Amino acid sequence: MRRKVYVEGSRPDLRVPFSEVPLSDGNEPVRLYDTSGPGSDPSVGLPPLRAPWRGTHGTQLAAARAGVITAEMEFAAIREGVEPAVVRDEIAAGRAVLPANHHHPESEPMVIGSRFLVKVNANIGTSAVTSSVDEEVEKMTWATRWGADTVMDLSTGPRIHETREAIIRNSPVPIGTVPLYQALEKVKGDPSRLSWEVFRETVLEQAAQGVDYMTIHAGVLLPYVPLTAARVTGIVSRGGSIMAAWCLAHHQENFLYTNFDELCRIFAKYDITFSLGDGLRPGSIADANDEAQFAELRTLGELTHRAWEHDVQVMVEGPGHVPMHKIKENVDLQVELCGGAPFYTLGPLTTDIAPAYDHITSAIGAAMIGMFGTAMLCYVTPKEHLGLPDRDDVKAGMIAYKIAAHAADLAKGHAAAQAWDDALSKARFEFRWEDQFELALDPATARAYHDETLPAAPAKTAHFCSMCGPKFCSMKISHEIRERGMRDKSDEFRATGSKVYVPLSSS
Amino acid sequence: MRRKVYVEGSRPDLRVPFSEVPLSDGNEPVRLYDTSGPGSDPSVGLPPLRAPWRGTHGTQLAAARAGVITAEMEFAAIREGVEPAVVRDEIAAGRAVLPANHHHPESEPMVIGSRFLVKVNANIGTSAVTSSVDEEVEKMTWATRWGADTVMDLSTGPRIHETREAIIRNSPVPIGTVPLYQALEKVKGDPSRLSWEVFRETVLEQAAQGVDYMTIHAGVLLPYVPLTAARVTGIVSRGGSIMAAWCLAHHQENFLYTNFDELCRIFAKYDITFSLGDGLRPGSIADANDEAQFAELRTLGELTHRAWEHDVQVMVEGPGHVPMHKIKENVDLQVELCGGAPFYTLGPLTTDIAPAYDHITSAIGAAMIGMFGTAMLCYVTPKEHLGLPDRDDVKAGMIAYKIAAHAADLAKGHAAAQAWDDALSKARFEFRWEDQFELALDPATARAYHDETLPAAPAKTAHFCSMCGPKFCSMKISHEIRERGMRDKSDEFRATGSKVYVPLSSS
């Protein structure tokens, strides 16, 4: 069974968790990145891990620029298996963020950037139609158990403050929000009644609670709205549509854009990280990479540089629905316009035709965009477009996205990622079934599937499986070949030189 | 509800099936490619659709090279929405195959090639450990209902002849096999007792039954076997391991390679299509694109050209387990070495760490390799590496692979593929929920997920869903914006010219 182990850093209260998988037959145990946290009693909350570290009241970006390696950076570096200076330097350059609101000391520091492991965000949250506080805390815990690196609370119904408070106090990972949703609740759901004052008050409320990053739709500018008129699916971002409605109702420029500097000052005080929202992202294959989308991205590039002037950390959100051949352009343009700030994308979905399976349509796009350099993937669950995800959907979404992120890590040549695959494949080839299950992303399900056809305990050490049966097991034959081949090879060498192994065909 | 419609070709008995989705509100119905066949009573079998067309006893390749457009080519062209001459020319050039054994008149002609829609194959079949004849016929029917373009019967247990007969007589799609499996049964499972004679007899038996394409592991040459010795997972192809064992046991070259011309003559007689097996494909990320794999591919290139000399159609099989950044090299090399013969790949799986979810790990690779030009994708089910797929696994594998194939079609710019996405997205934007469900790859599941949170019938016409609730529905707001925006726009134009819509920011 997997067990939690800790690696101590430069101070005794800096203990970095890993999930260790012990293996049989003398194989070295494998250590996996662990996001599950120490476990909490929801009525108490998690212990404030980072409270004693508070050497600075500024931002991680300010510290990094000053050459300081914070305890948070060291913690994240140990998780990633890199030198702390690498984390510091990537943050200083704006190519990575370490979302850590001073008021959320319960979270275990992690770093998001193209130089590091690809991260996965899970969205949860109540809506007016469904869900409760307890359910959402449970979903957050469940998501981190399956590897969520951050969680966004997108609650929109009643008890929005209370839900968020419960999530933050129990979360071992950074929490993101879209403050606009709560602001809209405060004005009874009428976008035209929104104002900078209501929004600012909402941000301050959430900042004090400890929200680590906030999606801000400051790039939805008034002149861009008409660019969406001819689209197949118009504006599909909730925040984007709300701000577009406000802009048109008032014939004024987006108040998030015009008050951006004041927002930066608030974010700097708490070290909240910007997640610059892509309110005009495409909601269908037909609308991908259009003028509206890229006009907004240019503005997000401008805002990225503006936030950096305030020492505020920035991520930039990305699409959406994009066919495979148009994915790379998104990353290339984002890197260019946003100076390498971490890209944080929703999917993208590579086709519109499979509602109920959009965790798969989008895992394809997510893996690709991760390979091209996206730093964090926002998961999509099977319920996308159809309803709110339940517990099973959260798991299905997380599994699909951990696969996508890991496939991207492999494609980027990450050594620890490759070691995990190698350990599992070696276990598979050596018929160490239990090791193979324990190394799997979802050990219980892998074991259960094997049990379905060969439930007996001896089958767990058998040198074949039910797929092919004993006679047709390629791996079994392959072992015999290896033994025979090696023996024959030495016989041959003794008898005739290596003649048998000289290629017979020139093709 | 979807309904089957037929498009008549140049003769009254040439009726090409489509699945038509009627839409509401005056929207044009959408016609989808249909593989489900006319439906059969398993005790009777399907009617012999192609029996009256038998103008030629040669191969489709021979006909195409002679400039002839066969009824089969016309049928396939109507399905693809292209001119029959395009199908003929692609077959003549070897870039496409139309697998259609003269003895399998029940199958509906289809074409496999990079110029056409990306196809999906479903593997089924009994093993010594599990499964029955009826179950396998049921799985075949189930697979074609979910869009399988071809089905491979990989049975290895007892009643292998009977199982295959039942599958072929009921199958509306081409059937593929690996004759080596039955040959091995005939010699009691001992690879060293195999011989060309036993194999030839098996091929003739299966040819007479109507197998449309056969996997032949003729590229596993004796000198390549030692190249697998240092691999993490050795040889993972059943056929590959069997032939490698034979080669080593006899110290002789692969009898499939040395008797390839005779095999071509048999295949030409029935118009069986080669599926040149990749017996040395990688079984782990670590082994991808290695010397053993590419040495075999070079030999498959040689054999492709040899088969073409006999007017025999050829596909070439591909990996396996390949990390994303190494996928394209596989396609490029295959196209170069095999003269553009259709590539037919298993996945590839883009990571090894997710047994129980390999339909997803491999759908990522399948979509990408499809975009790069692979003509047919062999599905992988959640049971891969763990057991034989049951009915649910067959569906899960098919859905994941139809998504991958369709995403590839979109990326290749296929107009009919794009029209499907557009129709669904338009329905989504216009809150035509029933249209959206009917256009979905899996209508029942999409509808069921929507029902879970908003089961009442009025919700099926509501201008919001349970994800966001009425106030936060971006599409609802987007419609309001569109109406308001258009009205405002004309007001603006009248009052002040287009000033409001001049970009405010130069960034």
Side-chain angles (χ1 to χ4, degrees), chain A residues 222-244:
Chain A
L222 180 58
Y224 304 159
V225 178
L227 300 178
T228 66
R231 279 180 160 185
V232 169
T233 47
I235 300 175
V236 298
S237 151
R238 291 189 224 172
S241 64
I242 293 165
M243 289 316 302

Side-chain angles (χ1 to χ4, degrees), chain A residues 127 129 156 181 184-185 189 222-223 225-226 228-229 231-238 241-242 244-245 248-249 251 253 257 284-286 298-299 302 321 324-325 350-357 361 363-364 367-368 371 382-388 390 395 399 403 406-408 410-411 418 420-422 424-426 428-429 433 437 440-442 445-446 449-450 452 454 466-469 471-472 474-475 477-478 481-482 484-486 488 492 500-501 503-505 507, chain B residues 127 129 156 181 184-185 189 222-223 225-226 228-229 231-238 241-242 244-245 248-249 251 253 257 284-286 298-299 302 321 324-325 350-357 361 364 367-368 371 382-388 390 395 399 403 406-408 410-411 418 420-422 424-426 428-429 433 437 440-442 445-446 449-450 452 454 466-469 471-472 474-475 477-478 481-482 484-486 488-489 492 500-505 507:
Chain A
S127 83
V129 182
T156 54
Y181 298 169
L184 189 66
E185 294 287 352
L222 180 58
V225 178
T228 66
R231 279 180 160 185
V232 169
T233 47
I235 300 175
V236 298
S237 151
R238 291 189 224 172
S241 64
I242 293 165
L248 287 183
H251 288 283
E253 193 45 280
Y257 180 80
S284 56
I285 293 298
R298 280 190 292 276
T299 298
E302 171 199 325
H321 292 236
M324 284 191 286
H325 64 301
T350 55
T351 168
D352 308 337
I353 65 161
Y357 300 90
T361 66
I364 294 167
M368 289 178 71
M371 173 173 68
K383 288 282 166 59
E384 184 75 14
H385 300 116
L386 299 168
L388 274 188
D390 63 18
K395 178 179 169 185
I399 295 274
I403 288 170
H406 184 79
L410 286 175
Q418 181 70 54
W420 186 1
D421 286 63
D422 292 351
L424 190 143
S425 286
K426 188 163 181 280
R428 181 173 280 156
F429 190 64
W433 288 97
F437 300 148
L441 207 48
D442 181 358
T445 303
Y449 283 3
H450 190 255
E452 272 181 35
L454 285 178
S466 69
M467 251 187 124
C468 311
K471 279 189 301 198
F472 285 88
S474 61
M475 291 203 178
I477 298 174
S478 201
I481 288 170
R482 192 171 284 192
R484 175 194 285 275
M486 293 305 105
D488 289 352
E492 276 303 315
V500 169
Y501 297 98
L504 297 179
S505 160
S507 67
Chain B
S127 82
V129 182
T156 54
Y181 299 168
L184 189 67
E185 294 286 352
L222 181 59
V225 178
T228 66
R231 280 179 160 185
V232 170
T233 47
I235 300 175
V236 297
S237 149
R238 291 189 225 172
S241 65
I242 294 164
L248 288 184
H251 288 284
E253 194 44 280
Y257 180 81
S284 56
I285 294 296
R298 281 191 292 277
T299 300
E302 171 199 326
H321 292 237
M324 285 192 285
H325 65 300
T350 55
T351 168
D352 307 337
I353 65 161
Y357 299 90
T361 66
I364 294 168
M368 290 179 69
M371 172 173 70
K383 288 281 167 61
E384 183 75 14
H385 299 117
L386 299 168
L388 273 188
D390 63 20
K395 179 179 169 186
I399 295 273
I403 288 170
H406 184 78
L410 285 175
Q418 182 70 54
W420 187 0
D421 286 63
D422 292 352
L424 189 142
S425 286
K426 186 163 182 281
R428 180 173 281 158
F429 190 63
W433 288 97
F437 300 148
L441 207 48
D442 180 359
T445 303
Y449 282 2
H450 190 255
E452 272 181 34
L454 286 178
S466 68
M467 248 186 125
C468 311
K471 280 189 301 199
F472 286 88
S474 62
M475 291 203 176
I477 298 175
S478 201
I481 288 170
R482 192 170 285 192
R484 174 193 287 272
M486 293 305 103
D488 290 349
K489 200 168 182 175
E492 278 302 316
V500 169
Y501 298 99
V502 171
L504 298 179
S505 160
S507 69

Side-chain angles (χ1 to χ4, degrees), chain A residues 247-260:
Chain A
C247 291
L248 287 183
H250 293 268
H251 288 283
Q252 286 177 20
E253 193 45 280
N254 184 330
F255 61 74
L256 300 170
Y257 180 80
T258 55
N259 292 282
F260 193 74

Side-chain angles (χ1 to χ4, degrees), chain A residues 166-193:
Chain A
I167 289 173
I168 294 173
R169 296 287 77 81
N170 287 286
S171 174
V173 302
I175 295 296
T177 62
V178 185
L180 195 58
Y181 298 169
Q182 189 181 9
L184 189 66
E185 294 287 352
K186 290 180 180 176
V187 296
K188 313 278 185 243
D190 178 354
S192 68
R193 292 177 57 199

Side-chain angles (χ1 to χ4, degrees), chain A residues 143-281:
Chain A
T144 60
R145 184 240 171 283
W146 289 107
D149 294 286
T150 72
V151 168
M152 288 195 82
D153 171 17
L154 303 185
S155 294
T156 54
R159 303 179 76 192
I160 199 167
H161 181 98
E162 188 185 349
T163 304
R164 188 172 50 241
E165 182 67 21
I167 289 173
I168 294 173
R169 296 287 77 81
N170 287 286
S171 174
V173 302
I175 295 296
T177 62
V178 185
L180 195 58
Y181 298 169
Q182 189 181 9
L184 189 66
E185 294 287 352
K186 290 180 180 176
V187 296
K188 313 278 185 243
D190 178 354
S192 68
R193 292 177 57 199
L194 280 169
S195 66
W196 165 244
E197 288 66 33
V198 170
F199 186 83
R200 181 177 175 280
E201 170 197 299
T202 308
V203 166
L204 287 169
E205 172 188 338
Q206 299 196 5
Q209 282 186 298
V211 170
D212 298 288
Y213 65 91
M214 296 185 188
T215 296
I216 301 295
H217 296 91
V220 180
L221 299 192
L222 180 58
Y224 304 159
V225 178
L227 300 178
T228 66
R231 279 180 160 185
V232 169
T233 47
I235 300 175
V236 298
S237 151
R238 291 189 224 172
S241 64
I242 293 165
M243 289 316 302
W246 186 90
C247 291
L248 287 183
H250 293 268
H251 288 283
Q252 286 177 20
E253 193 45 280
N254 184 330
F255 61 74
L256 300 170
Y257 180 80
T258 55
N259 292 282
F260 193 74
D261 287 312
E262 188 175 348
L263 210 47
C264 288
R265 285 188 285 273
I266 298 170
F267 276 35
K269 185 175 163 205
Y270 294 87
D271 199 4
I272 297 165
T273 298
F274 273 109
S275 188
L276 294 175
D278 57 335
L280 303 182
R281 68 171 173 269

